[in-house]
Amino acid sequence: MTMPLVLVAAMVVLYACGVYLMLDRTLTRVLLGFLMVGNATNLLIFLMSGSFGVAPIVGNGSAEEMSDPLPQAFILTAIVITFGVSAFLLALIYRSWRLAHDTDDTVQDDEADLEIAATEALTTVEVTDEDLAEAPEFVDADADEHPGTGAGVDTDRAPASAEPAGDTTGDGEASR
């Protein structure tokens, strides 16, 4: 397997320049360095793929004469990944430029949203009958001192299955 010396030299130069540019703090240079390293990697994969042969899809040659399609798939995948990361870096560069040149590029609080948020904080959660049934009953110390008066028992928080307060006979009907 022989590698063209020109392609190897181009790959080395691309890697060197790309790494040098990626070490800079400027985002534009980082983007250019990333693109150079991506292209150098594609060139490396191309050089390592071996000699050229017939196309494997056509099938007119023997297996030894066909090109390996795997490096081509790697290069296509690397191109797509490089494109995606480059688009992300461009978005970062644009956002950085906007923040540096536009002093009003801050998110302002919306007065209507603040009012709604304050209103939502004041509302209470709706209490259902099941919540009341599961809640422990509040027993006041005064209720122990005066049994039968209902003092200390919170009738509003009593479970729904509790008998009415006026039922003293225990048969479920309220006495008059």
Side-chain angles (χ1 to χ4, degrees), residues 29-47:
R29 289 186 181 199
V30 170
L31 174 67
L32 291 174
F34 179 76
L35 290 174
M36 285 185 170
V37 168
N39 286 325
T41 303
N42 292 339
L43 197 55
L44 173 68
I45 294 171
F46 175 73
L47 290 173

Side-chain angles (χ1 to χ4, degrees), residues 2-3 5 8 13 16 34 37 40 43 77 80 83 88 96 108 136 140 164:
T2 60
M3 291 187 195
L5 187 60
V8 173
V13 169
F34 179 76
V37 168
L43 197 55
T77 305
V80 171
F83 178 75
F88 179 69
S96 174
Q108 301 293 327
D140 194 4

Side-chain angles (χ1 to χ4, degrees), residues 31 35 48 66 82 84 87-88 91-93 95 112 125 140 147 149 168:
L31 174 67
L35 290 174
M48 297 302 292
M66 292 183 185
T82 303
F88 179 69
L92 285 179
I93 290 169
R95 184 69 180 158
V125 177
D140 194 4
T149 60
T168 56

Side-chain angles (χ1 to χ4, degrees), residues 13-25 29-30 32-34 36-37:
V13 169
L14 283 174
Y15 268 124
C17 292
V19 169
Y20 176 75
L21 288 174
M22 288 178 73
L23 293 177
D24 200 275
R25 297 187 80 181
R29 289 186 181 199
V30 170
L32 291 174
F34 179 76
M36 285 185 170
V37 168

Side-chain angles (χ1 to χ4, degrees), residues 4 9 41 50 60 81 132 145 152 155 160 166 171:
T41 303
N60 289 336
I81 291 171
L132 290 175
E145 295 175 6
T155 56
D171 58 356

Side-chain angles (χ1 to χ4, degrees), residues 44-129:
L44 173 68
I45 294 171
F46 175 73
L47 290 173
M48 297 302 292
S49 66
S51 61
F52 299 110
V54 289
I57 296 176
V58 177
N60 289 336
S62 65
E64 294 83 27
E65 296 174 351
M66 292 183 185
S67 294
D68 189 11
L70 191 59
Q72 297 169 8
F74 283 154
I75 290 172
L76 287 175
T77 305
I79 288 171
V80 171
I81 291 171
T82 303
F83 178 75
V85 174
S86 299
F88 179 69
L89 285 174
L90 279 173
L92 285 179
I93 290 169
Y94 176 71
R95 184 69 180 158
S96 174
W97 180 78
R98 287 288 308 252
L99 289 175
H101 289 85
D102 193 8
T103 57
D104 289 333
D105 194 22
T106 57
V107 178
Q108 301 293 327
D109 291 334
D110 188 19
E111 295 298 326
D113 287 344
L114 290 174
E115 289 178 17
I116 291 173
T119 305
E120 292 291 327
L122 294 177
T123 60
T124 58
V125 177
E126 183 177 342
V127 178
T128 62
D129 290 338

